[in-house]
Amino acid sequence: MGPGEPTNGWPTGFPYVNFYTDADWITKPVVAELIRASDFVAVARTRVMLIDKRRDPSINPNAGPSVLQKSLGIELTQRGLDSLEPLHVATMPRPNLTSFNTTLTNNFRGFQFSLPMATNLNNASLGNPPPHTENADRACVPVNTLPAAFTQTSNYATLLTNALGNYTIYRAAVEARDNGSIPAALGSAIAGGALVAGLILSGYQWFIDNQCVQSIPLPSDFALCADGLSGSAKTLTLANIDRIELGLGALSTSPPQLTAQNYLGRLDGEIDAKLTNTFFRYKGRPTSGCSVRPRVAIAETAFTTNAALGLARTCRNLELDYAAPFNPGVIPYTIGSDGGSSERNLLAAGVAPNPLFNLGGNRSKNENKDICNQTNFSPFANTLLNSFADRERDALNRTWNNGSPATQQAQGLDLIFSRWETGIFGDLNLNDHILTQTYNSTNSLTQSDRIAYLMNSKAERIGSTSPVATGIEADPGPFPCATNTAPCAHGSSIYSQRFDMSYSDTTGALNQVVRELSATPLIEYSYQPTYADLSIPPPVGVNATAAAPLNAATLSQIDSSFGGLLNETLSISVRTGGIRPLNYINPQPLANPVPIPEGRRNLTYQLPQYVVELISRDPGDASAPPVVWMRILLDFYDPQFNLSMGSQPTQNKLTPAWSGQENWTETVESTRLGNCPTVGFNPPLFVDLGNGLISEPRSDCAGGVASRMMAALKTNLKNNLLYLLSRFPAPILYDAQGQVTNQNSPKFRSQDKFQQNQVITFYGELRP
């Protein structure tokens, strides 16, 4: 038999016509038959499959399990990045806002700053004459406005005693002036002070004029003063993230970059402050020079040993806040392969500008708390807060960029783009298979309007040292929009349609997965039909769905020849016959009836030479080799197999579907059924009578038995073939690894599909 049509046309009933007339069906059967000349009965038959490379020389029938270069691809346009921004915001900051603020506070806390405060009204000397003004003395506040903790101290009591003593001296001086002598009380008070006494004696009036306490001292005559105000950073919290703008970065790099610009919400800082070097003093007669102004210092130990007093001198939770918008810089990020796990992505932050966030002038402060609410302390507290502005900015930048390149934002982007990871593709107790991926070192996509990645892939059984060795593969053509000779419109697909994301598979990557799973019990197993599968009525009381014993009693209802089993039981073994299932797109399809448009080529699904053997022990000699009662070859083919993306978002797998044009071809290669002529082949596939191929329309006993026994098997096998491709990973649901509900998560919504030269590209939108 040749691939060309015979001179007189294909004979009626010839089973392999489609193999030779369909250029997409790349496996071609070659059958050899031994035909008895007397009655043209085929008494022996064998068949092999050839692979037709005439229209595709790139076909490799023995492709190994090595890494496939550039077998997967993803494109993401700016519109696609925009669609992912709300998802990114919903998962930021990492790991959550509470933890982020804990780190932010830790990076802020501990910073201290001390501010000196002017004390213009202090112990005046003869060389420091008036005028002094109370308004210039901004470091003191009246005692009668303070918490009781201050007036209950021994320091304050000492000051009162001293002030009363000064008043006594003052009154004595007045009396001396009026009487012209020094009273005993005054003399006692100034004993040992010859200079003062001399001055008094030489001029009472000058002494009197320079006395501070000239009336009975009252609480309102005293003030609390401080030489300094010390602040300590306490907490810093971020209210929220308003928005994040993802963008296209340096696309000419390898790998290309995306960028993030982060617009943060309100930033709230709290600072605790306290007065330092504090003292009490008499504040009466503020515009006069006083020779001795009563004053008592408060030791630092007084504050540490007296909790109430320590609290009274503090200004708790002073506020230095920044309201949005800030002025954020742009951070570059790259997506690459995780060196420690070949099935994982790794997002890496590039060098961030310094500073990343400039907090700007949208600043608010609240210094009027506790003792800092006092009029003369408040301005200093306000100035003190300004000293913490740079610290807040630095803490925010440090926290955001912590751990670079694996920053918290890189981790957040990891959550999104983890959907691009492939991973395990098994199921039904087959979760030991994995499709690993690595990003290709070279970015072959030249479009400047999208992030584009090409990836290598390899399907394998985890922990196995013997992956499926070989299979049929063909070299893929270029990905759409991937060459300078075929550029696409800005942000558009090869069909000039705006899109968010594209995902490209190659038949090579698909076939890797199919080959691995075809070596499992999905495709190679012992088939146990039910009574219903064999269309045999079950015994009384037995359900039709029960497994039918494959013995003489059961199978004789199909063909009496199975009575030859005697006491033996049949088993049905199914396996591939040297060629694994495969997907294929013909790069040069026949133009029948009209040329197929670019990008609309047919994807075929082919399983040639699937072997079904009905085996038992030899009924006459149990020690003899097993007997093959029938060997059947099944060929399956779908000329327009369909793969779609997005119809099952939660599974993140491609959705396969039959075209409705799929078909089976059965060939009985050998049989022992005695009711069939000789060894059972009638008619032969063809008989050469010298005039070309002529069919011999006779009853095919073995073929009829095979069809009956294979009906349910083919249904089961077809379901399993579909299942093989329902496990191929696809980036559909973007839920940040379950951290955002499916309802609100962007999902790949299919728009169009490119299918050509072993490349299948799905174009779609990303929306909930």
Side-chain angles (χ1 to χ4, degrees), residues 38-49:
S38 61
D39 56 4
F40 302 108
V41 171
V43 296
R45 176 182 296 156
T46 188
R47 192 185 79 163
V48 296
M49 301 297 287

Side-chain angles (χ1 to χ4, degrees), residues 345-413:
N345 296 327
L346 186 64
L347 268 290
V351 178
N354 186 22
L356 174 60
F357 297 103
N358 281 310
L359 302 186
N362 199 6
R363 178 190 303 177
S364 63
K365 294 178 285 187
N366 184 1
E367 68 277 13
N368 297 316
K369 293 187 175 184
D370 299 331
I371 201 168
C372 288
N373 194 34
Q374 294 284 346
T375 302
N376 285 349
F377 290 156
S378 180
F380 291 100
N382 184 290
T383 301
L384 178 73
L385 287 177
N386 291 334
S387 302
F388 287 81
D390 287 349
R391 180 69 178 190
E392 288 194 6
R393 180 201 63 196
D394 294 345
L396 177 61
N397 284 282
R398 180 180 175 186
T399 304
W400 195 273
N401 294 322
N402 185 46
S404 184
T407 64
Q408 56 91 33
Q409 183 161 33
Q411 297 171 30
L413 290 169

Side-chain angles (χ1 to χ4, degrees), residues 26-90:
I26 59 173
T27 54
K28 311 297 186 186
V30 175
V31 179
E33 292 182 330
L34 180 61
I35 301 172
R36 190 168 53 218
S38 61
D39 56 4
F40 302 108
V41 171
V43 296
R45 176 182 296 156
T46 188
R47 192 185 79 163
V48 296
M49 301 297 287
L50 298 180
I51 298 173
D52 189 352
K53 298 177 58 174
R54 290 173 300 173
R55 303 186 74 83
D56 187 357
S58 76
I59 293 175
N60 178 6
N62 297 305
S66 59
V67 173
L68 287 180
Q69 302 291 322
K70 302 179 184 179
S71 56
L72 301 172
I74 290 181
E75 294 176 304
L76 195 63
T77 66
Q78 181 60 60
R79 197 178 79 168
L81 284 170
D82 293 343
S83 300
L84 294 173
E85 289 171 355
L87 173 66
H88 188 38
V89 172

Side-chain angles (χ1 to χ4, degrees), residues 132 152 187 421 439 488 506 559 570 615 749:
H132 297 291
Q152 293 171 356
E421 297 168 359
Y439 286 89
C488 297
T506 59
D559 190 283
L570 201 68
I615 305 172
R749 307 291 188 177

Side-chain angles (χ1 to χ4, degrees), residues 114-138:
S114 295
L115 180 72
M117 297 195 294
T119 54
N120 293 328
L121 185 62
N122 49 31
N123 294 328
S125 67
L126 295 176
N128 185 26
H132 297 291
T133 63
E134 187 175 13
N135 290 335
D137 185 8
R138 299 167 57 196

Side-chain angles (χ1 to χ4, degrees), residues 667-689:
T667 301
V668 177
E669 190 174 49
S670 66
T671 181
R672 281 175 57 94
L673 298 183
N675 289 334
C676 296
T678 318
V679 294
F681 298 111
N682 192 18
L685 295 180
F686 69 92
V687 177
D688 187 357
L689 300 180

Side-chain angles (χ1 to χ4, degrees), residues 528-666:
Q528 173 60 65
T530 66
Y531 288 100
D533 293 338
L534 299 176
S535 300
I536 294 175
V540 176
V542 177
N543 195 296
T545 58
L550 301 180
N551 53 27
T554 302
L555 297 179
S556 291
Q557 299 180 61
I558 297 176
D559 190 283
S560 60
S561 296
F562 284 115
L565 280 168
L566 302 179
N567 295 322
E568 299 298 335
T569 300
L570 201 68
S571 65
I572 302 177
S573 170
V574 295
R575 58 182 172 81
T576 57
I579 301 177
R580 299 284 174 181
L582 69 137
N583 293 271
Y584 178 74
I585 301 172
N586 194 335
Q588 300 184 63
L590 297 176
N592 184 21
V594 294
I596 301 175
E598 290 290 309
R600 308 298 189 187
R601 304 292 168 79
N602 293 334
L603 172 66
T604 65
Y605 197 173
Q606 307 180 30
L607 173 60
Q609 199 95 340
Y610 190 67
V611 179
V612 182
E613 291 181 327
L614 284 60
I615 305 172
S616 77
R617 292 192 303 179
D618 191 321
D621 184 358
S623 64
V627 174
V628 178
W629 286 79
M630 184 176 290
R631 191 170 192 267
I632 306 162
L633 305 179
L634 295 179
D635 304 302
F636 176 78
Y637 178 69
D638 188 342
Q640 296 185 31
F641 185 66
N642 181 60
L643 283 175
S644 61
M645 179 172 162
S647 60
Q648 301 181 44
T650 58
Q651 294 187 16
N652 293 300
K653 300 286 191 292
L654 294 181
T655 301
W658 302 121
S659 66
Q661 302 178 50
E662 62 276 10
N663 59 81
W664 292 93
T665 302
E666 299 172 12

Side-chain angles (χ1 to χ4, degrees), residues 488-500:
C488 297
H490 187 86
S492 299
S493 71
I494 196 170
Y495 303 117
S496 300
Q497 183 180 29
R498 302 276 291 180
F499 73 100
D500 292 346

